[in-house]
Amino acid sequence: MTLRQLRQIASDLGVSLYSRKSKEELVEAISTRQVEEGKGRSLERIEAEMAPAPRPAAETRVVFLPRDPQWAYVFWDISEDDRSDALHAGASQLCLRVADVTGLAGGSAHPHTLQEVVVDSHATEWYLPVPLSDRDYRVELGYRKGAGGGWISLAYSSVARVPSLHPSEQILDQFVPFSLDAFPSASTSLPASEEAVDSGLHERLYQSATSQWRRLGRGSEAFHEIDATAGLEGGGAFSASGAGPWASGRSASGMGGVGSRQRSFWLVADAELIVYGATDPAARLSIGGEEVPLSADGTFRVQVPFRDGQQLYPIEALAADGEQKRSITMEFRRSTPEANVNSREASIAEWF
C-alpha cells in the first residue's frame, strides 16, 4: 500500500496523528486499533481487494552518465511493445554499443572505436569501462540477432563528455599590460577590452629580435660591426671605449651630470618551449612515454620550461585500432653564455 492509502484507512479507524506517522508506524497503529475493536478486515485482505496501482507505460530510452575518467554508468528502459517486436524479429542478446563521437556531428562515429558489450536481458543498468578519457561518447541500446546475425537498434543516448584522467597541460598565452613605473603583480588581470590574445605578437617579437643578425649574415663578429658602424656614423650611443657620454656623470658640454644616487636594479629572463601538432582525434598520443590529451579536433600543445642543456622529445601517435603508428623525435639545445641577473627580491642597492 502507498502512504496515502494507509493514511486513509487510519483516518477511517480514528487513529490519532496519522498524518505524522511513517508507513511502519501506520501499519502498527492500524493493526492495534483493529485488535482493540475486534472487527474490520486485516490489512492483508484490504490490500488483496485493491486494484493494482496504475503504472506508466515504459518508454524505450538509454542514458549515458560518465562516473569518472575510467567508468560510466548506463541505465535504460524498454517498452513492452519494443521488447516484443525485437523478440519476434529474432533478438537473442541485449547489448550496449559505445561509440567515440568526439568532434563529429550528425550521428557519425570515429572508425574502429565502436565497442559492443553484452548485458543481461533483464538488467536495466550497467557499468561500462571507458576506452579513453577526455572524449565524447554515445551509447546505443539494441539486440543482437541469433543465428542469422544482424542488429536491432532500440535507442540512442545523448552525447556525454568523459572527463580527463590528468590535469590539462595546456596554458593559454596571456599578455598583461603593465607600466614601467610600477612592478606588475602576478594577479594582474586583463581588462575586458584587451582579453583577445594578439596571435601575431610572437612572430613580430621574433622577427624584431633576429632581423639584425639575419641582415648581417654572420656570427659573433656581427656585434663588433654594429658598434663600429654606429661609431662611424656618429649616431651611436657609445664611444670607442664602450662608454656612453653619461658614463662619467658629465654631459658632452662639460656641465655637471646627475648627482650620485642609490637604487636597486634587477633583471629576470627565461625561455619556454612549445611543442605542438595534430593527429587523428581518436588516436593515442604520447611524448616521452607520457600520454598527452588531444583536443576535440586532434590538436595538441605542450608548453614546457626551456633550460640550458639538451632536451629530447620522442612523439608517437597510435591509431585507435592499434595497428598504425607515426612518430617523430625532436632535439633542442639551449646555452646561456652570460647571466648577470637577479630577482627583484634579491636586488641590492647600488651607488651610481
Side-chain angles (χ1 to χ4, degrees):
M1 291 186 184
T2 65
L3 184 59
R4 176 174 294 184
Q5 291 170 334
L6 289 173
R7 285 176 176 173
Q8 182 61 47
I9 296 174
S11 176
D12 296 339
L13 293 175
V15 176
S16 61
L17 302 176
Y18 63 87
S19 62
R20 301 182 183 179
K21 298 182 183 297
S22 64
K23 291 186 70 173
E24 291 76 10
E25 292 172 339
L26 284 173
V27 170
E28 183 179 356
I30 292 172
S31 301
T32 303
R33 180 57 61 89
Q34 289 175 335
V35 171
E36 290 176 353
E37 295 184 357
K39 60 179 181 179
R41 296 167 297 170
S42 65
L43 286 177
E44 288 78 5
R45 289 189 59 184
I46 295 176
E47 187 173 8
E49 295 173 1
M50 287 182 175
R55 300 185 62 182
E59 178 183 355
T60 302
R61 62 170 186 160
V62 58
V63 179
F64 173 71
L65 296 176
R67 176 180 176 270
D68 55 44
Q70 296 177 312
W71 290 92
Y73 174 64
V74 182
F75 66 92
W76 61 90
D77 286 319
I78 304 176
S79 67
E80 291 300 327
D81 292 340
D82 289 340
R83 190 185 300 271
S84 177
D85 293 343
L87 293 177
H88 282 92
S92 61
Q93 289 180 326
L94 183 63
C95 300
L96 298 173
R97 284 184 169 181
V98 186
D100 187 334
V101 296
T102 305
L104 301 180
S108 57
H110 291 288
H112 313 297
T113 63
L114 188 65
Q115 295 190 13
E116 187 173 293
V117 179
V118 178
V119 299
D120 188 89
S121 58
H122 300 289
T124 58
E125 58 182 357
W126 209 263
Y127 279 98
L128 292 176
V130 176
L132 286 174
S133 62
D134 198 24
R135 308 288 294 176
D136 293 330
Y137 291 96
R138 182 187 64 233
V139 171
E140 180 183 6
L141 176 68
Y143 280 101
R144 169 68 64 184
K145 288 187 177 181
W151 174 256
I152 303 173
S153 179
L154 297 178
Y156 287 93
S157 73
S158 299
V159 176
R161 182 79 175 186
V162 174
S164 174
L165 184 61
H166 305 287
S168 174
E169 297 182 6
Q170 298 188 13
I171 303 174
L172 297 179
D173 294 329
Q174 195 174 63
F175 299 96
V176 182
F178 65 94
S179 171
L180 294 176
D181 299 328
F183 180 71
S185 171
S187 61
T188 304
S189 58
L190 281 172
S193 61
E194 299 183 24
E195 288 182 354
V197 176
D198 186 356
S199 58
L201 183 58
H202 291 88
E203 182 65 21
R204 293 200 303 273
L205 288 175
Y206 174 78
Q207 295 296 334
S208 174
T210 59
S211 60
Q212 293 180 334
W213 322 132
R214 287 186 283 104
R215 184 170 62 250
L216 294 173
R218 293 197 294 276
S220 60
E221 66 272 16
F223 290 93
H224 301 285
E225 181 172 342
I226 290 177
D227 289 344
T229 303
L232 291 174
E233 294 177 355
F238 297 92
S239 64
S241 63
W246 292 93
S248 63
R250 307 181 67 85
S251 66
S253 62
M255 297 177 62
V258 180
S260 297
R261 292 182 295 171
Q262 186 181 28
R263 187 173 65 182
S264 59
F265 194 56
W266 56 277
L267 168 67
V268 291
D270 209 337
E272 288 184 322
L273 179 66
I274 299 177
V275 180
Y276 64 94
T279 183
D280 187 281
R284 183 188 296 269
L285 184 84
S286 64
I287 299 180
E290 186 73 21
E291 185 174 347
V292 175
L294 296 173
S295 300
D297 57 354
T299 60
F300 64 92
R301 180 178 182 275
V302 180
Q303 189 167 339
V304 295
F306 192 21
R307 303 186 179 95
D308 282 9
Q310 177 190 21
Q311 294 192 30
L312 200 66
Y313 288 91
I315 305 174
E316 181 179 277
L318 181 65
D321 57 8
E323 299 293 333
Q324 294 177 294
K325 182 188 298 185
R326 297 290 185 272
S327 61
I328 180 175
T329 300
M330 295 187 290
E331 179 182 356
F332 305 92
R333 294 178 181 271
R334 172 189 161 180
S335 62
T336 306
E338 180 184 355
N340 182 19
V341 296
N342 58 276
S343 64
R344 187 185 187 190
E345 293 76 12
S347 60
I348 301 175
E350 298 177 335
W351 292 97
F352 71 99

